[in-house]
Amino acid sequence: MSETDQRPRAAAPGSGPSPAAPVVPESAQMPTPLGSQHAQLTRWALWLRNFWPGPVRIDLQELLRMAFGVALGLLVTGMLSRWWTDVPTSTWMVSSLGASAVLLFGMPASPLAQPWPVLGGTVVSALVGALCQRLVPDLAVAAALSVGLSILLMVPLRCMHPPGAGFAAFVVLEHADGVALVAFPILFNVAVLVLCAVVYNTLTGKRYPHPQHSYKGAGSARFVSADLDAALSHYNQVLDISRADLEGLLHMAGKAAFQRTLGDLRCADIMSRPVFAVEPQVALKEAWALMRQEQVKALPVVDAQHQVLGIVSVTDFMRLAQLDVRDGLGQRLKHLVSWRSNSQGTVGDIMSQDVQVAGDDGLVTTLIPLFSEAGHHHHIPIVDAQRRLVGIVTQTDLVRTLSKTIGSGD
C-alpha cells in the first residue's frame, strides 16, 4: 500500500470522529458502471473501425489506366473467344476472368498477378474442379472440396491466384464436361488476357512480368535481408506484394525516415569551431606542438586568404617519423627521438593535398558517404561561400549527431 493510501481520510466539518469507518484505498475501489460501459464501447468502436478500409494511394491517372486496361483486356478476350468457338450457344467466356483482369491490369506487380500464377493457378484449379465433378456427386460438397484442394496445390506450386478458386467452382457447377472446359474457354480466356496484360502494361510504363527476385539496391543500416526473412516468417501470412518490392519499399522508407530525422541539419550546425589551421611554411615542430596543445589529430593547411590547400594529420607525422614501419619497439623509439631532434621541414612538405571539403550550408547527410566509403577521410574542412575555412567536421562530430538524432527519434 502506498504512502497516500495509508493516510486516514479527513472528517467533514462539524462531524465527530468515526474510528469504525475503514480507510479504503483508491486502487481497491471498483470502477463505476458508466466507466465500464465506456471502455466496452471503445473496444467495439476500435473493432468496427477495422471494417473501414484505408485509402488506395493512387492518383487519377493510375486509376484511369487500371480501369481502361481491365475493360480493354476483357473486351479483346471476349471478342476473340466468341470468334474462336464454333457453337454460338456454348460457353465462350468465364465470369471469374473479371477478377483476374483486376489483378493483371490493376496490380501488375503483385505475385498473384504474374503469368505463371495466373496460367498455372487457373489450369490446376480447373483440373481439380473437373476431378471433383466426376468423383463427388453432391455439387455443394464438390465445389467446396475443389476450392480447398486447389489452394493446397497452388501454394506449393508457387501459382497462387485467387480467381483460380473461382474457376474450380465454375467447372464443378457448369453442367458440361469439366476436362473440355479446361482447354476452352478457361485456358484460352486466360492466355489471351495475359497476353493483353503484357502488351498494355508495357505500353503504359509498367514492368510486366514484374521482377520477383531479391532486391539488390543499396543496403540499409537498420536491417539486412535476413531480418526481412525473419519478419516474414513471424508474420506467416500471404502478402499481395513480392518480397523484392517489400524489401525495396522498406529500404526507401528507411532512407526517407533517416532524411526526415536529420531534417535540414547543415554542416555549420555540427562543425567544430574555432578551427585550428596552419600555413604551408609553418615548421613541423610548431605544427606538432599545436596539435598536442589543442589535442587535435589534424590541421587544415590554408593560405593567407584562408583558402584550404591541404591537411596535415597525425598519420602524416607518423609516416615522416617512420613509425608505421614494422620494426621493433626499440627501433621505433629511435626513429621518434631522431625525428623530434632533427626535423627541420615545413608543413607543406608532408601535408596531404587530396583533401575533401564541404560547404557550411551543405546537408549533413552528404558527409556520411565521405566518411564511410572513403576510409582516408577522417576530418572534413568546412568552407563558406567564398571557399574560406570556417570550421571542421570530424567523425566524432558526425557520430555524436547521429546518436542524438536516433535517440530523439526513439
Side-chain angles (χ1 to χ4, degrees):
M1 184 176 295
S2 64
E3 182 179 350
T4 303
D5 297 331
Q6 294 173 356
R7 284 200 301 265
R9 297 178 184 272
S15 63
S18 54
V23 177
V24 182
E26 295 180 2
S27 58
Q29 294 180 359
M30 296 298 293
T32 62
L34 180 61
S36 177
Q37 293 176 1
H38 178 72
Q40 186 69 19
L41 290 176
T42 302
R43 286 193 293 268
W44 274 103
L46 293 175
W47 181 75
L48 290 174
R49 190 174 63 178
N50 295 330
F51 286 85
W52 183 251
V56 179
R57 302 185 182 277
I58 59 174
D59 54 19
L60 179 60
Q61 181 180 357
E62 174 61 19
L63 176 60
L64 294 176
R65 188 204 69 84
M66 177 175 62
F68 183 76
V70 170
L72 180 62
L74 291 176
L75 177 62
V76 173
T77 302
M79 294 183 66
L80 285 177
S81 300
R82 188 174 58 183
W83 169 79
W84 185 267
T85 181
D86 296 331
V87 183
T89 58
S90 64
T91 303
W92 47 269
M93 195 171 182
V94 185
S95 58
S96 298
L97 205 65
S100 298
V102 173
L103 289 174
L104 286 168
F105 296 92
M107 293 176 281
S110 170
L112 310 178
Q114 303 312 302
W116 166 241
V118 176
L119 293 171
T122 298
V123 172
V124 167
S125 299
L127 290 175
V128 170
L131 181 63
C132 292
Q133 182 197 48
R134 291 192 175 186
L135 299 180
V136 181
D138 190 295
L139 290 181
V141 176
L145 185 62
S146 66
V147 172
L149 291 178
S150 64
I151 294 176
L152 286 177
L153 292 176
M154 285 191 291
V155 172
L157 292 176
R158 300 185 181 183
C159 58
M160 183 65 177
H161 185 62
F167 287 105
F170 167 78
V171 172
V172 171
L173 299 176
E174 186 70 17
H175 300 287
D177 185 6
V179 178
L181 291 176
V182 174
F184 187 90
I186 294 177
L187 182 56
F188 185 87
N189 286 171
V190 174
V192 174
L193 191 65
V194 169
L195 181 60
C196 292
V198 171
V199 176
Y200 183 80
N201 286 322
T202 303
L203 292 178
T204 55
K206 302 293 182 181
R207 299 181 65 181
Y208 186 81
H210 191 80
Q212 303 291 308
H213 306 291
S214 297
Y215 178 74
K216 301 299 182 182
S220 171
R222 294 184 177 270
F223 75 95
V224 295
S225 183
D227 298 330
L228 178 60
D229 292 334
L232 290 175
S233 299
H234 179 74
Y235 188 69
N236 196 29
Q237 294 187 42
V238 178
L239 295 177
D240 195 15
I241 183 175
S242 69
R243 184 197 178 281
D245 286 344
L246 179 60
E247 186 174 358
L249 286 173
L250 289 177
H251 278 296
M252 289 186 287
K255 185 177 180 180
F258 185 75
Q259 181 68 40
R260 173 184 55 80
T261 53
L262 286 180
D264 294 329
L265 201 61
R266 306 288 172 170
C267 296
D269 300 326
I270 71 168
M271 69 182 184
S272 300
R273 67 174 88 181
V275 56
F276 301 99
V278 293
E279 295 184 349
Q281 62 271 19
V282 172
L284 291 176
K285 289 184 178 180
E286 296 180 11
W288 179 255
L290 178 61
M291 292 174 65
R292 294 192 60 187
Q293 177 183 346
E294 303 299 338
Q295 297 183 355
V296 295
K297 297 181 180 180
L299 294 172
V301 182
V302 298
D303 58 13
Q305 289 75 35
H306 275 72
Q307 305 280 331
V308 178
L309 302 177
I311 193 169
V312 61
S313 64
V314 174
T315 304
D316 297 318
F317 282 98
M318 292 179 61
R319 189 181 303 109
L320 177 65
Q322 300 182 7
L323 296 182
D324 56 346
V325 296
R326 295 181 178 275
D327 291 336
L329 176 60
Q331 188 66 23
R332 291 201 287 177
L333 289 175
K334 180 179 179 181
H335 282 303
L336 178 60
V337 173
S338 175
W339 169 77
R340 294 188 63 181
S341 59
N342 299 323
S343 59
Q344 302 296 330
T346 61
V347 171
D349 298 332
I350 68 169
M351 72 176 186
S352 300
Q353 297 183 1
D354 182 21
V355 58
Q356 180 72 50
V357 299
D360 58 353
D361 61 342
L363 293 174
V364 172
T365 52
T366 60
L367 300 180
I368 297 177
L370 299 179
F371 283 118
S372 61
E373 298 177 3
H376 59 285
H377 291 305
H378 303 285
H379 305 77
I380 306 294
I382 307 300
V383 297
D384 59 13
Q386 288 74 37
R387 308 292 295 177
R388 293 176 301 188
L389 180 68
V390 293
I392 192 169
V393 174
T394 66
Q395 286 182 328
T396 303
D397 297 326
L398 182 61
V399 170
R400 185 184 301 113
T401 301
L402 295 178
S403 177
K404 291 181 179 178
T405 302
I406 296 174
S408 62
D410 296 338

